[in-house]
Amino acid sequence: MYTTSIAIQVLPDITEMDKICAIVDHVIEYIDSTGCNYMVGPFETTVEGDFETLMSIIKRCQEIPVELGAPSTKSYVKIFHNPNGILTIAEKTDKFK
């Protein structure tokens, strides 16, 4: 049972679109490496897990762009936390497939 979901949009402070996409791809690869359930959308990536794990993921997603050459990064984060459980990505979206 997941207790938390986040939606994160990472915006590296770079003007070249190809570099932005490459950095965001690295961020998504990192999210994939965590083993958490996630879904990539056109504006943000939604990730499910426990609260502490997801807070660590948010932190790391801020560090990766700077390590890859962005002078700074901005992120928009939405957090839904319910110790009794949440509706999963699948429960929210499978009916539309």
Side-chain angles (χ1 to χ4, degrees):
M1 170 179 66
Y2 302 119
T3 61
T4 308
S5 64
I6 63 168
I8 184 166
Q9 179 184 33
V10 176
L11 302 168
D13 190 20
I14 294 179
T15 57
E16 298 89 358
M17 190 59 66
D18 59 331
K19 290 182 182 179
I20 292 170
C21 291
I23 290 172
V24 170
D25 288 349
H26 280 283
V27 171
I28 294 169
E29 287 172 14
Y30 161 69
I31 291 170
D32 181 62
S33 77
T34 67
C36 289
N37 188 44
Y38 71 98
M39 175 185 267
V40 176
F43 289 102
E44 61 193 15
T45 299
T46 302
V47 189
E48 300 170 324
D50 68 85
F51 184 79
E52 294 302 324
T53 298
L54 297 183
M55 294 305 101
S56 295
I57 289 171
I58 290 169
K59 180 182 180 210
R60 184 72 186 123
C61 288
Q62 307 318 293
E63 298 166 341
I64 292 169
V66 174
E67 291 170 5
L68 294 175
S72 64
T73 189
K74 300 172 192 75
S75 291
Y76 295 93
V77 179
K78 300 176 203 172
I79 302 169
F80 178 68
H81 175 71
N82 182 345
N84 298 314
I86 60 168
L87 288 174
T88 66
I89 292 169
E91 290 170 321
K92 293 176 185 175
T93 62
D94 281 358
K95 62 186 172 189
F96 298 106
K97 292 182 181 178

